[in-house]
Each structure stands twice: as C-alpha cells, then as structure tokens.
Amino acid sequence: REAVRSLLDTMARRARHSPTLVEPVTLADEGTLAPDATWSEVEPAAHPPHPRGPLLDGYEDLGPIGRGGMGEVRRVRDLELNRAMAMKILDPGLAEDPVGLARFVEEAQATAQLQHPGIVPVHDLGMAADGTLFFTMKQVKGRTLAQALRDDDTPGERRLRRFVGVVQRVAEAMAYVFERCGIHRDLK
C-alpha cells in the first residue's frame, strides 16, 4: 500500500507540470450515445455484488457496467451527493504491475484535467482500505455508436448527415485531447 501511495504522490506531482497521457476518453453525443463497447458489456439487471465485497465508504454499489483491459467499471451512488456515477476499479493483477498502476493513475489525472462536452469528467481518484485503486466519473447513459447506427431507420441522406455530425463531434473532442495531451490510447 505504501508503494501505491508513493506512486500516487509522484504521479500527482508529475501531472501538475506536464500531463502527457490520456488513455480512455469517453465520448458522448449529448447524452444519447454512450461509450462504444470496445470492452465487454455486462447485463446491468443482474446487479451481482462486487467480488471483493462492499466497495468504499461513501459509495453504494449498484452493479456492473462493464469490464475492460485495466479493470471493471461499476455503477455506484455517491452517498454524500446522492448521485449515480461510474466507478472504474483497477484490476488486482495490474495493481502489482508498476506500469499498469501508473497508466491507471495517469488516465484518471489526465482525463480529469480535460474540460470538453465530449469527454466524461472524472470526479475522484482514491484508494480503498484494501489498497484497491479507483476513480469515479460521470455516468453516461445511452447507446453505443454501433447501436445507434444499427437502430437508426432515418432514410438515406439524413442518416448519413447525422453520422457525419457524430464523427465531427468525435474529431473535435480528439483534436482537443491531442492539443492538450499529445497522446491518446483508447477511444470509447
């Protein structure tokens, strides 16, 4: 745990001077398009409890959202502010890997510094009593771009214009990220 806390302190000092990494940046189309599923989606109705027991003081576990390469994303309720959020929890195997640990912290810190309507804001970065790292962010509800395209029955040219508009908003968000951070690893 001390090594993790030391890394968090080092990463915080480094991020103040030159944020250079943004790993996942989540894009949404004004609340209607959720992150595209490059990670496995989990049926939210099942609401199985978190495998490591209760999450953290101050958060109520509302069930899984999905799982990705760095860990699990769960729907939680912030009990102090009474709002639903998404919580990304670092996979326990990566917590032992200094590179994975650093990427997780950099992802949270760099994304938290970005202020753009197409990028989900990060609210909190912390560590549970058992040493598990997490960060919380705004929960985005909606459909993936693939779902929106599949379900869209708008005729021909209007459908194409709508799709081009979505691609334009994604490109604007990506330009914003590149302008501020220079590197982007994972678009969702």
Side-chain angles (χ1 to χ4, degrees), residues 69-188:
M70 294 199 73
E72 179 180 23
V73 179
R74 298 190 69 82
R75 186 169 180 260
V76 298
R77 177 169 308 288
D78 179 328
L79 298 175
E80 288 186 31
L81 297 174
N82 192 28
R83 65 177 173 181
M85 303 175 72
M87 177 183 281
K88 186 167 188 175
I89 302 166
L90 181 64
D91 186 272
L94 289 176
E96 304 299 321
D97 172 24
V99 173
L101 187 62
R103 281 187 177 172
F104 187 83
V105 172
E106 286 174 342
E107 171 188 337
Q109 290 177 337
T111 305
Q113 295 172 34
L114 300 172
Q115 302 294 315
H116 188 278
I119 299 172
V120 174
V122 170
H123 297 292
D124 189 16
L125 169 64
M127 184 187 319
D130 68 356
T132 301
L133 281 179
F134 71 92
F135 65 87
T136 60
M137 62 196 119
K138 177 182 177 180
Q139 177 186 338
V140 178
K141 293 182 180 181
R143 300 176 294 163
T144 67
L145 179 58
Q147 290 167 335
L149 289 172
R150 183 182 58 241
D151 299 343
D152 188 359
D153 58 0
T154 307
E157 192 174 319
R158 270 191 25 214
R159 180 176 189 212
L160 179 61
R161 276 196 304 259
R162 202 168 147 206
F163 174 72
V164 168
V166 170
V167 170
Q168 179 180 356
R169 287 190 296 279
V170 169
E172 289 167 356
M174 292 309 306
Y176 173 86
V177 169
F178 185 75
E179 186 178 294
R180 279 150 186 82
C181 302
I183 297 175
H184 184 275
R185 292 184 171 196
D186 188 11
L187 175 65
K188 291 188 176 66

